[in-house]
Amino acid sequence: VTLHKQGSHKKTIELQRETSLTLRRTVGAAHPDALVAAVNLVSTLQRGGLYQEAAKLQRDTLEVQQLTLGHEHPEVLSAKAALSVSLQKQQSESVSDMTAQPG
C-alpha cells in the first residue's frame, strides 16, 4: 500500500520531491527517470490541490522534454495537454477562492 493510499499525502509529496531533485542532480533533468519522477510529482501535487506548484513543475518538465525529445514527440504532446488541464484547474481554483471570500 502506498503512502498516498494510506492518507499520508504530505509525506508522499516530500518523498517524491526528494526523489525528483536527487535524480535531476545525479543523472540530469533530461534523463528519462528524472522526467518520470517529475511527472509523478506533478500528479501527486495536483491530487493535493497544489495546482500552482504543479503547473510550474509541468512547465519546467515540458521545456526539458521539448529540448530532448522534440516538439512533436507523443510524450511532449501529452505533457502539453496535461499542462493545459492543470492551468484550467488552477484558474478554476482561483475563481472559487475569490467567490468564497466575503466581499
Side-chain angles (χ1 to χ4, degrees), residues 51-77:
Y51 300 116
Q52 188 172 1
E53 185 178 350
K56 183 190 179 327
L57 181 57
Q58 278 181 298
R59 282 187 197 97
D60 295 346
T61 303
L62 176 60
E63 186 176 315
V64 173
Q65 288 175 315
Q66 287 175 329
L67 290 171
T68 58
L69 301 173
H71 291 274
E72 295 183 8
H73 190 280
E75 287 184 35
V76 172
L77 297 174

Side-chain angles (χ1 to χ4, degrees), residues 42 46 51 54-55 58-59 62 76-92:
V42 165
Q46 288 174 333
Y51 300 116
Q58 278 181 298
R59 282 187 197 97
L62 176 60
V76 172
L77 297 174
S78 178
K80 285 180 182 180
L83 177 57
S84 173
V85 170
S86 288
L87 294 173
Q88 287 174 338
K89 287 180 180 179
Q90 182 181 350
Q91 184 178 10
S92 177

